[in-house]
Amino acid sequence: MIGGLAALGVMGAGAARAADPVAHSALTPDEALQLLKAGNDAYVTEAPFRAAWGRERRVELARGQAPFCVLVGCSDSRVPPELLFGRGLGELFIIRNAGNTIDTTALGSVEYGVGVLGCPLVVVLGHENCGAVAAAVEVVERNATFPGVIGEMIQPIIPAVLSVRGGGDGLLDRAVRANARRVAGRLKTQSPILQQALAAGRLKVVAARYDLDDGDVTWMEDV
C-alpha cells in the first residue's frame, strides 16, 4: 500500500496539490457513469464522436490531470477503454492486467485515482472470452497448470469460478461476470479510502462486462 495514501487526512495539502495541480472533476458519480454509458452507446452504433486528443488538450493536460473515472480493466488487446467508451486524453485513469484483478499495486493505483485525483467513479470491466478467466476455469475443471508465474497470476480469479460452478453451460461467462463483481466488491470493503468516499456519496463502484462481438457493455450496478 502507498503509505502516504493510507490516510488522506494526514497527507499534507501541498503534497496533494503537487500530485494534481488542477481542479478535480465536478461530475457526480451518476453523471460520470452516464457519460460512460452514452459513450459506449455511441461506440456500438458507430455514431461519430469528437474526443479530445489534439495538441491543445495535450498542453492542457501537461499542467495536471483530473480524470472522472478509475477503470480496472483487462490487458486484452481487444478491450481498449478509451475507444469503447468514446473518451479522450485525461478522462480515464486506467489500471489494466490480465483478468482485471486487484493486487497491492492495483489497489494503490485505484486509491490514488479516488483519494488524490478525485475520481467519482470506479468501474471494474470484465469481458467476453477473457483468457485469464478461462485459464482459471481450466484449473478448477481440469486441474490445469501453466508455465512461469501465470498460475499465480490467475489464483485470485479462482474463487469467482468456484462461486458459479455447477450452473450448467456457460461457466466461462458466468465466471467473467462473477470475477468483475467480486473485484468491485473487494474494492468497496477493503479500502478505507474508497469506503470514506462511498459513505460521503462522492463515489460509486460498479462492475461491468464488455461483449467482444457487439461492443456493448453490460452494467452490474448492484455490487
Side-chain angles (χ1 to χ4, degrees):
M1 196 71 62
I2 300 175
L5 297 183
L8 291 183
V10 299
M11 175 186 262
R17 285 196 297 269
D20 181 35
V22 300
H24 292 166
S25 172
L27 295 173
T28 68
D30 287 335
E31 288 170 342
L33 181 58
Q34 187 55 45
L35 266 185
L36 291 189
K37 289 181 176 181
N40 182 244
D41 288 344
Y43 174 73
V44 170
T45 60
E46 300 184 0
F49 70 93
R50 293 179 59 85
W53 297 101
R55 182 181 183 280
E56 183 176 343
R57 179 60 170 164
R58 293 197 304 270
V59 172
E60 177 186 2
L61 288 171
R63 297 187 302 111
Q65 61 174 320
F68 70 84
C69 174
V70 176
L71 191 140
V72 181
C74 183
S75 299
D76 195 298
S77 62
R78 301 167 293 179
V79 191
E82 285 95 346
L83 293 182
L84 63 93
F85 289 117
R87 309 318 310 172
L89 289 173
E91 295 188 287
L92 304 181
F93 190 74
I94 300 172
I95 299 99
R96 297 182 71 175
N97 56 57
N100 45 272
T101 57
I102 290 290
D103 59 9
T104 300
T105 301
L107 179 57
S109 298
V110 174
E111 290 185 334
Y112 186 88
V114 172
V116 176
L117 300 181
C119 293
L121 177 66
V122 175
V123 173
V124 180
L125 182 66
H127 68 90
E128 177 187 15
N129 291 333
C130 177
V133 178
V137 170
E138 288 293 307
V139 171
V140 170
E141 294 286 273
R142 300 174 180 83
N143 199 29
T145 59
F146 298 91
V149 296
I150 296 175
E152 295 178 35
M153 178 192 71
I154 64 175
Q155 282 296 317
I157 305 173
I158 290 176
V161 177
L162 293 173
S163 72
V164 293
R165 191 183 187 191
D169 294 337
L171 175 59
L172 174 56
D173 200 59
R174 292 198 308 277
V176 164
R177 296 171 186 269
N179 183 52
R181 291 172 63 94
R182 186 171 184 273
V183 172
R186 283 188 57 205
L187 289 174
K188 295 174 72 171
T189 59
Q190 294 187 1
S191 170
I193 292 174
L194 270 64
Q195 287 177 332
Q196 183 180 19
L198 286 163
R202 293 185 284 105
L203 177 69
K204 176 172 284 190
V205 179
V206 301
R209 181 259 192 197
Y210 174 67
D211 190 286
L212 295 175
D213 303 299
D214 61 27
D216 188 48
V217 173
T218 301
W219 300 91
M220 297 172 278
E221 300 178 49
D222 57 338
V223 176

